[in-house]
Amino acid sequence: MNFLEERIMKDGQVREGDILKVDSFLNHQVDIALLEQIGDAFYEHFKDKNITRVLTVESSGIAIAYPVARRFGVPAVFAKKARSMNLDGDLYTSIVHSYTYNVDNVVTLSKQYLHADDCVLIVDDFMANGKAVQGLLDICRQAGASVAGIGIAIEKGFQNGGRLLREAGVDLYSLAIVDSMDADGTIIFREH
Amino acid sequence: MNFLEERIMKDGQVREGDILKVDSFLNHQVDIALLEQIGDAFYEHFKDKNITRVLTVESSGIAIAYPVARRFGVPAVFAKKARSMNLDGDLYTSIVHSYTYNVDNVVTLSKQYLHADDCVLIVDDFMANGKAVQGLLDICRQAGASVAGIGIAIEKGFQNGGRLLREAGVDLYSLAIVDSMDADGTIIFREH
C-alpha cells in the first residue's frame, strides 16, 4: 500500500451508499503534509509533460491543486460551480451532474485563464462516475487546450468513470483505487 | 505599497457595485508565488501565537489557508457553505448572509475538527462587511476555541466589517485595505 492507501485504511470511514468519508485529512480538515505528498506524486508522474496549468473544480479540488501547481511552478485554476456575479460574461460552461447532491451544476471557467496553447493537468480529490472530470475535459476542448492527463487522489474503481477515461486513452493517474468497500470497514484497493 | 497592493494595482479591476475583481491571481486563477508570499506574511504576523488550526470557509479561502497552514505546520480546516450529505450530524452551524450572491448560507463545521483547546487563525481572501468572518468566529465560540486573530488578503475598508472587529479588540491583519475605488481604476489603499 502507498501512503494514501495507508491513510485511508487508518482514518477513512465507510458509510451507507458507497460513501468513503475522508473528511479528517482530505476535504474538510486538510492534512497539509499528506497533500504535499500527493503533490509530489502527481509531479513525479507528469513532470515530463510540459504542464502550463493545473485545473480543478471548487471546492475540495483546490487543496489538491495548490501543491501540484507549486511543484510545476504554474498557476492553479479552479472552475466554479455556479455562475458568479463577479465573473465576466466571457465564460466556458459545462453542465455536470452531482450524484452526491443530486443536482445539475453549471461549471464555469473564465476564457481568460485557459488557452489553446495550454497543456493542462486536471486534478481532483475524488472520482466516481467521472462527471466532474468530464466537465473539465469539456471545458479544455472548448478552449482548444491539450490535456496531459488527470491526477485523482481517490478513485472509486467500482464505478465506471475511470474505466471510460482509460479506454479513451487518457493518462489517468489515481493514487488510490477503491475496488470495493463495506460498511464493516473492509476496503479493497486495486493492485498497482 | 506592499507586494499585494502592487499586484492589485497591476492586475485588479474595479467593477460597478464596489466589486474588485482579482480573479487573475487570487480566486479563480491562483498565482501560487503570490499566495506563498501571503502565507509568509500571515506567518510572520502570527507566529508567536501558538496557532493549532487555520480556519477558513470554502471555496476561495482554501487557497489562502493552504500556505498559511503549511508555514505553521498545522491542519487547515474549511467550513462548508451548505450541509453536505457526506457530513455527519454533529456539526457547528452559523448563518451567514452573502451580499455578493444575496443569499443566506449555512456555514457548517464538523465538531471533530475544532476543539476547546484549539488556538485558531482565521483567514480569508476578502472581507467587506465581515459576515463570513463573523460566522467563523461564531463557530469558534461554539467550540470554545480561542481565536488568535484574523488574516485577510484584501479588506474593503469602506465597509464596516474591519472597523467592528478592531473595535472589539480582534487582531485583524489585512494585507491590503482598500479605502476607496472608482470604476476609472483609481484605488486608494490605507496607509500601513
Side-chain angles (χ1 to χ4, degrees), chain B:
Chain B
M1 285 197 293
N2 67 23
F3 67 95
L4 183 58
E5 293 163 333
E6 285 173 4
R7 186 61 175 269
I8 294 166
M9 290 307 293
K10 179 169 170 281
D11 293 326
Q13 294 180 315
V14 180
R15 292 279 190 274
E16 291 285 323
D18 283 336
I19 290 169
L20 177 60
K21 202 169 166 291
V22 291
D23 278 2
S24 67
F25 56 95
L26 195 63
N27 50 21
H28 190 18
Q29 177 169 256
V30 177
D31 179 334
I32 303 291
L34 183 88
L35 274 279
E36 293 285 299
Q37 282 184 281
I38 293 173
D40 288 342
F42 288 172
Y43 179 74
E44 272 307 306
H45 186 86
F46 293 105
K47 66 185 174 191
D48 298 325
K49 297 292 183 74
N50 299 311
I51 304 297
T52 61
R53 275 187 169 77
V54 174
L55 176 64
T56 190
V57 62
E58 64 179 1
S59 65
S60 50
I62 299 170
I64 304 272
Y66 191 103
V68 181
R70 188 161 60 83
R71 291 301 179 301
F72 280 99
V74 302
V77 181
F78 55 93
K80 305 199 172 192
K81 272 187 185 156
R83 191 192 162 108
S84 157
M85 291 190 237
N86 285 4
L87 280 174
D88 281 359
D90 217 12
L91 300 171
Y92 302 116
T93 65
S94 188
I95 293 175
V96 173
H97 186 74
S98 165
Y99 288 88
T100 312
Y101 298 91
N102 195 29
V103 292
D104 280 329
N105 288 309
V106 181
V107 173
T108 69
L109 186 74
S110 168
K111 292 187 178 177
Q112 293 179 268
Y113 308 130
L114 194 61
H115 308 110
D117 59 357
D118 273 314
C119 182
V120 178
L121 174 58
I122 294 172
V123 301
D124 210 352
D125 57 340
F126 262 99
M127 188 169 66
N129 51 59
K131 296 297 182 194
V133 163
Q134 292 289 356
L136 295 176
L137 285 169
D138 181 28
I139 281 173
C140 288
R141 271 192 296 270
Q142 293 175 43
S146 61
V147 175
I150 300 169
I152 299 291
I154 305 173
E155 177 185 334
K156 289 179 175 173
F158 52 88
Q159 297 200 30
N160 68 354
R163 184 178 56 77
L164 293 173
L165 287 165
R166 290 187 181 93
E167 285 175 4
V170 173
D171 185 359
L172 169 62
Y173 180 58
S174 299
L175 286 172
I177 302 179
V178 177
D179 269 338
S180 70
M181 55 186 195
D182 283 300
D184 69 2
T186 310
I187 301 174
I188 309 291
F189 295 107
R190 191 171 303 174
E191 297 279 339
H192 293 280

Side-chain angles (χ1 to χ4, degrees), chain A residues 12 73 97 122 131 155 162 167:
Chain A
H97 186 74
I122 293 172
K131 296 297 181 196
E155 178 185 335
E167 285 175 5

